[in-house]
Amino acid sequence: MALSAVSKTIVLVAVGVIMTIMGLLSYLMFPRILQLQVEENLILSPEAEPFEYWKVVPVPIYARFYFFNVTNTKEILEDKAKPYVEELGPYTFRETREKVNITWHPNGTVSYHQIKRWFFEPNQTIGSLDDLVTNVNVPLTTAVNQGIRSGDSFFISGIDAILEHTKSTLFVTKSVGNLLFDGYEEEILFVAKDIGIEVPYDKFGWFYPKNNSHDGEYTIFTGKTDFTKYGYVDLWKGSSILSARHPPCNKIQGTAGDMWPPFRNDKHQKLSLFVADICSTLQLSFLSEVDVNEIQSYRYWLDETALDNGKYEKENSCLCSDSCMPPGALDIETCHYGTPAVVSFPHFLYADQQYLDKIDGLKPDPQKHVFIIDLEPKLGIPVNVDAKLQINVAIPNCDEIENIELPDEKIYYPIFWFSESASINLETAEKLKFVTKMLPQYVTIGCFLSVSGGIIILMLALYTAIRGLREKSKKRMVYTAVRVVQQNDLLKRLES
């Protein structure tokens, strides 16, 4: 049975109202629905989609090492000349990361070890691992430093006597391969063990024997109980406290760098990154919005205050050890078995001028030496990382040691700087782009079409109603006119 004009109008109005309301509600509710779905799917678990990406980092990571070669050691030792360094490299390695010994806990955390492996990439290297580099003798410097820190004159005299009877010198020349992963034997290492100095290795190399090893057990939050802590480190080596730091700097904060909580609303909130190798949490500041493979991201960087020791923020003075160094470098001696190591930006970028004044050949450049992380804010995933730091060794002054030429005042020798870089591949970028960009666009278009369609139908219903009223009015007018004619005709007949 055909619908009447009134029924058709009612149906059109109902459909139009429903489509308009549904479109508006979908548009208003979609961000919250998306957030709930993203959070539900991001929770780390063996069944979750992100698990395999988290377990084995799918994108290639490249570690590039740049060594500083001291070219005037003779003049330094004989004439107290200012050291001059030249940069060698990069020596490039492809780095892989795999999480093993994964253990899930009922409190919404997971523990694991992360195995790191490095593979030499000669095609991306300038030079070879056989290149020779001259720089300070780190095992010797460590022994001297431990003697000075002990404050024991007898201990210091013992070290001085050892130096007299060994062939160890202040500077050594070794290959890049030995300095990095292979390690090299140093006579003072064996002698130091004999007199009770803590030496945790039989060879010295900055990454010996770290290839195919881990740096301790991490326990992180999975997001199951609190998404604001998603990815944050709860424990490292079973503790939430760093014994190498003074309070409050001894509290572990930040994520391990794999991910951050999603839906980052305040882009100016600092990005916290826990770095076990330097026993510290780095705070990255917002720099700008960037486009990485068509993915809108927030760029964070370590600014000139990032390696503060109290100059900019008084509370950062807890990063100092016995005394504060000039700002712009971080003491990591207690993280490396008494080695007087110091971390800074490459070429002492943003560091106090005192560091640069004592070394020639350094050329800090913000375009080359800055530390950045590009973060996709909706999912909390780093889409581009270019982490750059420099390792230095402090050569102390000690008048009680006579069998080696120490400087008249402490000098921070740059040893090498490194860059760890990684960017998401196109396949991952397409998936991210769909979730963060295309899907919201599709929903917005769908909502717009629904609202537009609803409005059009309502207008059509209004038009139909008005047209019906007009037609009805016309019919009434015609009917009235006919009646008038009929009445007039009847009157005429009666009169005649």
Side-chain angles (χ1 to χ4, degrees):
M1 185 175 67
L3 293 175
S4 65
V6 173
S7 298
K8 289 181 180 179
T9 303
I10 292 173
V11 170
L12 287 175
V13 170
V15 172
V17 169
I18 291 173
M19 288 182 64
T20 303
I21 292 175
M22 290 298 294
L24 289 172
L25 287 177
S26 298
Y27 180 77
L28 294 173
M29 294 177 63
F30 175 74
R32 180 55 182 165
I33 295 172
L34 177 63
Q35 181 173 345
L36 291 174
Q37 288 297 312
V38 166
E39 289 180 353
E40 181 179 346
N41 286 281
L42 282 182
I43 294 174
L44 274 181
S45 70
E47 299 79 23
E49 183 178 351
F51 175 72
E52 291 300 326
Y53 295 95
W54 171 79
K55 182 181 177 182
V56 179
V57 177
V59 300
I61 303 171
Y62 291 98
R64 296 176 175 84
F65 299 91
Y66 300 78
F67 276 87
F68 292 102
N69 183 50
V70 182
T71 62
N72 61 336
T73 56
K74 182 179 179 180
E75 291 80 2
I76 295 171
L77 296 174
E78 294 180 359
D79 305 321
K80 303 289 184 180
K82 183 188 292 189
Y84 184 88
V85 297
E86 61 176 1
E87 183 181 284
L88 304 179
Y91 303 93
T92 305
F93 292 78
R94 179 172 52 85
E95 180 181 334
T96 65
R97 300 181 181 186
E98 179 184 5
K99 296 175 178 66
V100 299
N101 303 329
I102 300 171
T103 305
W104 305 92
H105 305 294
N107 66 340
T109 62
V110 58
S111 298
Y112 63 90
H113 293 91
Q114 182 166 250
I115 303 297
K116 293 183 180 181
R117 301 179 180 92
W118 287 270
F119 304 90
F120 183 55
E121 294 283 344
N123 294 334
Q124 299 187 43
T125 295
I126 298 178
S128 76
L129 296 183
D130 295 324
D131 290 352
L132 296 178
V133 178
T134 298
N135 214 304
V136 297
N137 186 337
V138 177
L140 180 147
T141 306
T142 301
V144 171
N145 185 65
Q146 288 198 19
I148 294 172
R149 288 181 62 82
S150 71
D152 188 335
S153 297
F154 180 77
F155 193 7
I156 296 174
S157 298
I159 292 176
D160 196 28
I162 291 172
L163 294 174
E164 185 180 5
H165 295 92
T166 65
K167 297 179 181 179
S168 296
T169 58
L170 183 60
F171 295 98
V172 294
T173 300
K174 301 294 179 182
S175 71
V176 171
N178 289 142
L179 291 170
L180 284 174
F181 296 102
D182 297 338
Y184 63 90
E185 293 182 348
E186 176 61 41
E187 185 179 2
I188 199 169
L189 287 175
F190 305 107
V191 180
K193 288 182 179 180
D194 292 338
I195 65 171
I197 296 179
E198 181 186 4
V199 180
Y201 36 71
D202 57 345
K203 292 182 179 181
F204 174 77
W206 285 101
F207 292 87
Y208 171 83
K210 292 185 177 182
N211 205 344
N212 198 30
S213 70
H214 62 82
D215 57 357
E217 184 184 65
Y218 290 82
T219 301
I220 68 169
F221 291 96
T222 64
K224 184 178 181 180
T225 57
D226 186 354
F227 238 97
T228 62
K229 295 181 179 179
Y230 180 70
Y232 272 66
V233 178
D234 182 32
L235 305 172
W236 179 57
K237 293 184 177 180
S239 175
S240 61
I241 299 298
L242 298 167
S243 59
R245 297 294 178 198
H246 302 301
C249 295
N250 63 343
K251 184 178 180 181
I252 293 178
Q253 303 179 67
T255 77
D258 297 308
M259 64 274 195
W260 278 266
F263 298 98
R264 191 176 185 84
N265 297 320
D266 183 6
K267 61 186 177 184
H268 294 286
Q269 178 187 359
K270 290 198 173 185
L271 205 65
S272 299
L273 174 66
F274 173 66
V275 184
D277 285 335
I278 63 175
C279 301
S280 298
T281 296
L282 298 175
Q283 301 288 350
L284 290 85
S285 302
F286 174 76
L287 179 62
S288 63
E289 294 188 16
V290 294
D291 188 297
V292 181
N293 288 332
E294 299 184 8
I295 298 173
Q296 295 300 312
S297 307
Y298 294 162
R299 171 161 292 180
Y300 292 88
W301 69 309
L302 291 179
D303 61 22
E304 64 276 8
T305 69
L307 299 180
D308 181 27
N309 57 8
K311 177 181 178 180
Y312 300 101
E313 299 290 343
K314 187 176 181 180
E315 57 267 25
N316 289 335
S317 59
C318 58
L319 290 170
C320 303
S321 51
D322 294 337
S323 59
C324 287
M325 302 184 305
L330 184 63
D331 185 352
I332 57 173
E333 175 182 328
T334 48
C335 297
H336 294 274
Y337 306 102
T339 299
V342 171
V343 67
S344 68
F345 293 122
H347 289 249
F348 289 115
L349 175 69
Y350 301 134
D352 193 278
Q353 188 63 33
Q354 295 182 52
Y355 296 104
L356 292 168
D357 288 342
K358 295 179 181 179
I359 302 287
D360 281 337
L362 297 176
K363 299 175 182 178
D365 185 348
Q367 299 298 319
K368 296 179 180 179
H369 302 142
V370 73
F371 184 125
I372 63 169
I373 294 178
D374 296 331
L375 188 75
E376 197 292 306
K378 289 188 178 68
L379 300 183
I381 297 175
V383 294
N384 178 57
V385 176
D386 196 1
K388 298 173 183 176
L389 291 173
Q390 179 171 297
I391 301 298
N392 315 278
V393 169
I395 306 298
N397 168 259
C398 183
D399 296 332
E400 297 178 66
I401 294 180
E402 299 177 352
N403 289 300
I404 192 171
E405 289 293 332
L406 294 174
D408 294 333
E409 57 181 348
K410 183 181 287 188
I411 296 179
Y412 297 90
Y413 272 85
I415 306 298
F416 67 90
W417 70 272
F418 65 90
S419 166
E420 282 195 330
S421 59
S423 293
I424 59 170
N425 53 37
L426 291 177
E427 180 184 355
T428 307
E430 287 299 320
K431 290 181 179 179
L432 282 179
K433 188 166 66 173
F434 175 78
V435 174
T436 62
K437 186 177 181 180
M438 303 306 295
L439 183 58
Q441 286 182 353
Y442 292 153
V443 171
T444 300
I445 292 172
C447 293
F448 174 78
L449 292 176
S450 178
V451 172
S452 300
I455 292 174
I456 291 172
I457 291 174
L458 287 174
M459 292 177 66
L460 180 61
L462 179 62
Y463 170 77
T464 303
I466 293 173
R467 183 179 177 182
L469 290 174
R470 287 179 176 175
E471 289 180 353
K472 194 172 184 180
S473 177
K474 287 180 179 179
K475 287 181 180 179
R476 285 179 179 176
M477 290 176 66
V478 170
Y479 176 76
T480 301
V482 170
R483 291 287 296 171
V484 169
V485 170
Q486 290 176 345
Q487 289 176 356
N488 291 334
D489 186 56
L490 180 60
L491 291 171
K492 287 179 179 179
R493 287 179 182 178
L494 292 174
E495 289 175 356
S496 60

